[in-house]
């Protein structure tokens, strides 16, 4: 995740456009798996499991969910989700949509790094 984030920072500084690849699936999974930590670190508790229903750079559907039914689901672009998790975009700068009691806080707290 860190390599992807900072490679993008350097590309921006050099005015080079990097096309997102399906390797972002790893960054997406990391951000999703660390949501309980992000909530706990903020002194909050998730109302229930969070699912991601995203579209990867090649148009493939990426679905991340636990075995238990999700109470919150985030939908949209995997690239945008990763950029929010990396703190390179804010949720309002994206087309990401959330449903459920934790949707706003998921997009606010999601990270690709420990805080």
């Amino acid at each position: 995740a860190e390599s992807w984030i900072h490679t993008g920072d350097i590309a921006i500084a050099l005015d080079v456009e990097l096309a997102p690849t399906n390797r972002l699936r790893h960054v997406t999974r990391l951000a999703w798996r660390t949501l309980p930590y992000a909530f706990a670190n903020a002194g909050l508790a998730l109302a229930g499991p969070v699912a991601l229903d995203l579209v990867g750079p090649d148009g493939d559907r990426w679905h991340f969910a636990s075995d238990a039914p999700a109470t919150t689901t985030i939908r949209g672009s995997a690239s945008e989700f990763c950029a929010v998790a990396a703190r390179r975009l804010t949720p309002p700068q994206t087309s990401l949509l959330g449903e459920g009691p934790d949707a706003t806080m998921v997009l606010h707290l999601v990270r690709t790094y420990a805080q």
Side-chain angles (χ1 to χ4, degrees):
E2 290 292 319
S3 295
W4 169 74
I5 293 166
H6 298 302
T7 297
D9 293 340
I10 292 166
I12 290 168
L14 296 174
D15 199 29
V16 173
E17 186 173 335
L18 293 178
T21 70
N22 280 336
R23 293 183 63 125
L24 285 180
R25 186 175 185 87
H26 303 291
V27 177
T28 304
R29 184 176 185 278
L30 171 68
W32 172 71
R33 294 274 297 160
T34 58
L35 282 169
Y37 169 81
F39 270 70
N41 195 42
L44 301 171
L46 285 161
V50 175
L52 302 180
D53 187 14
L54 305 174
V55 178
D58 289 346
D60 296 338
R61 304 289 295 178
W62 295 356
H63 187 72
F64 294 87
S66 65
D67 292 337
T71 58
T72 298
T73 302
I74 305 297
R75 291 182 170 80
S77 160
S79 298
E80 288 182 345
F81 180 79
C82 290
V84 168
R87 297 303 191 237
R88 297 313 186 258
L89 289 176
T90 64
Q93 292 174 304
T94 72
S95 60
L96 294 169
L97 299 173
E99 299 172 354
D102 294 319
T104 299
M105 289 309 293
V106 164
L107 292 174
H108 177 71
L109 294 173
V110 66
R111 302 279 192 284
T112 57
Y113 54 87
Q115 179 171 305

